Amino acid sequence: MPLANNTTDERGIAMTTSTGTKTGTDIPQAIVKQRNLSWWISGLIVAAVAAFIAQSLYVNPNIAWPVVGEFILSPRILNGLWTTLELAVLSQAIAIVLGLVISLMRLSSNPVAGAVSRGYIWLFRGTPLLVQILLWGNFALFYDQITLGIPFTGVTFASWPTNEVITTFVAAVLGLALHEAAYMAEIIRSGIMSVGYGQTEAAQALGLTRGQMMSRVVVPQALRIIVPPTGNQFIQMLKMTSLVAVIAGGDLLTVAQNISAVNLQTIELLIVATVWYLLVTSIASAGQALLERRLGRSIRRQKDRGNKTARGRAS
Amino acid sequence: MAEMVRAENVHKQFGHSQVLKGINLAVNTGEVQCLIGASGSGKSTFLRCINHLEEVTHGHIWVAGQLIGYQVKGNKLHRLRSRAAAHQRRDIGMVFQHFNLFPHMTAAENITMAPIVTKGVSKTIAADQSMRLLDKVGLRQFADAYPAQLSGGQAQRVAIARALAMDPKLMLFDEPTSALDPELVGEVLEVIKDLAAGGMTMVIVTHELSFARDVADSIAFMDNGVILEQGTPNQITSNPQEERTRNFLRRVLTEESRADSEKQHERAS
């Protein structure tokens, strides 16, 4: 069978190079870099405003900068920071797994699974995170014992006081993870739905079962859609952990507030917390960019390889 | 000759619209059956019923003696579980109008994936087979190319190789050249002709009348959900009995000749 493309490729490349050299000799080659006065002016204005704000903060007698310096690396603050990171990573991880399950339930043909999934999202997306955290933190107020047994029979195997099972940390994770799972479910669902119908049809026609189709064809393509918003969610999660301060969650903000409650340096400790939050979210943003680049790499590599093979064939 | 496909009184309904209204068709092993007809006549729907991508609402289809999509228990039909339906499809290859290659896999991976995943074929054996198949469709040097780097004609040839990798008993083609630029149609039809010469049983929905004439053992003209007329290529194209068949052929043939003369014009200029 004739491979007509090779010859057209050759012809195509040959034609562009010949026309390029013909006209390229008599026009200048050097390109003058464009300078734009308005960029310089606007840059100066922004720098001036920033300098003014920085100066006013620095000389402000109400902010004791040495206190900021004293606490920024203090063991208690670092401890709180560690708790914040633990809460964010653990909650996000649980949310991703749970969200995947909920999204698959939503997409399944089983009407009960669909209804459960919808109900979950309705409940956990429809109520404020702050309220959910408060409810988990005060779980003992409406169930003081947690019992393992057979419902409706009175048979019990084991029983624990709620406050021992749902510690503050557990309550914080429950609040953050269950709320986040509702959002992750929607993100994952949109990723799965973004994979075209033709793809599932082709997989079906090849005799793949549903599970094989999901793992080989749908999910790998859906990830490109799912990962960027998931990175966003994690950055948001890092900040949302501060809400657990309302149940004394032991996170960065809780610690900062505890310290300032004693030394009354409220602004200084809020600045300490702000600096850490900014630093951590900046690192997470950089990580997200890196991850997206890795994920995009397979596509870029496809392009690179394509150019190489195309040229290789033509020469 | 053994029957590969048998369709009896096949009906298909989407909501309130009857798309298929009693299709009867038999395709023998090694035969090429072409389905022609205007768009909306139900040819693609019928093709998709053969591998149960669409569920038949009434009637039966057998492929290689196996009832498709259902199981007989007593005097009732029971819908097959999705896993069993998947199993049935492994013997039936399908090629789509829009190729539907997996964009995240190379050409070779597109071909090896299904045998590895569904049949547990070892990676090396599957890779060998994929190279043989790529050879067969003339694309050996594109093994590592991704679908986005292929022309439409190349993509469709890879899609054919992908279907062949499952060693199907039957191949279904759903307008395999309709999405292609005119100059790329030939290379795909060439591959299909090779398959026909190799004795593959095929059902082909196509608008390429001259191709159908060349390759088919039998052509069925579908109109409004039924097979209006069926016969050898000669009977259908040279001596159609039905007025609607004649109208359809006249329309398609004038289009084809116009396209041909345009092509010649292009070449001349």
Side-chain angles (χ1 to χ4, degrees), chain A residues 242-256:
Chain A
S242 63
L243 288 175
V244 309
V246 296
I247 55 168
D251 70 310
L252 182 56
L253 187 64
T254 309
V255 173

Side-chain angles (χ1 to χ4, degrees), chain A residues 207-256:
Chain A
L208 268 63
T209 62
R210 281 182 158 192
Q212 291 164 343
M213 181 171 87
M214 271 291 162
S215 65
R216 301 298 174 129
V217 176
V218 176
V219 171
Q221 294 185 60
L223 275 182
R224 287 236 320 275
I225 305 290
I226 294 171
V227 166
T230 303
N232 264 352
Q233 290 296 114
F234 180 63
I235 288 164
Q236 188 168 332
M237 174 64 88
L238 281 167
K239 298 174 297 170
M240 289 197 304
T241 53
S242 63
L243 288 175
V244 309
V246 296
I247 55 168
D251 70 310
L252 182 56
L253 187 64
T254 309
V255 173

Side-chain angles (χ1 to χ4, degrees), chain A residues 50-91:
Chain A
F52 171 72
I53 293 172
Q55 192 259 355
S56 87
L57 282 174
Y58 186 70
V59 300
N60 188 334
N62 295 322
I63 304 174
W65 287 101
V67 176
V68 173
E70 178 191 337
F71 281 103
I72 193 112
L73 291 171
S74 78
R76 285 177 73 191
I77 288 288
L78 292 182
N79 223 337
L81 176 66
W82 181 245
T83 305
T84 287
L85 293 176
E86 273 183 331
L87 281 173
V89 171
L90 191 62
S91 304

Side-chain angles (χ1 to χ4, degrees), chain A residues 21 48 69 71 103 106 138 198 209 284:
Chain A
T21 45
F71 281 103
S103 67
R106 177 78 185 268
N138 295 298
T209 62

Side-chain angles (χ1 to χ4, degrees), chain A residues 1 3 5 198-199 201-210 212 216-217 220-221 302 305-306 309 313, chain B residues 48 86 89-90 92 100-105 117 137-138 142 144 146 149 151 154 157 162 166 187 190:
Chain A
M1 198 179 38
L3 284 167
N5 306 42
Q199 292 291 304
E201 221 166 46
Q204 271 183 307
L206 285 166
L208 268 63
T209 62
R210 281 182 158 192
Q212 291 164 343
R216 301 298 174 129
V217 176
Q221 294 185 60
Q302 289 162 26
R305 209 185 286 173
T309 45
R313 259 183 292 127
Chain B
R48 293 157 58 80
R89 292 195 190 100
R90 289 177 194 171
I92 307 171
N100 300 354
L101 288 178
F102 304 127
H104 58 301
M105 300 179 192
V117 171
V137 298
F142 288 89
D144 293 330
Y146 282 85
Q149 303 163 233
S151 74
Q154 292 166 340
R157 280 141 68 194
R162 175 177 70 175
M166 292 296 286
E187 56 188 88
E190 230 23 75

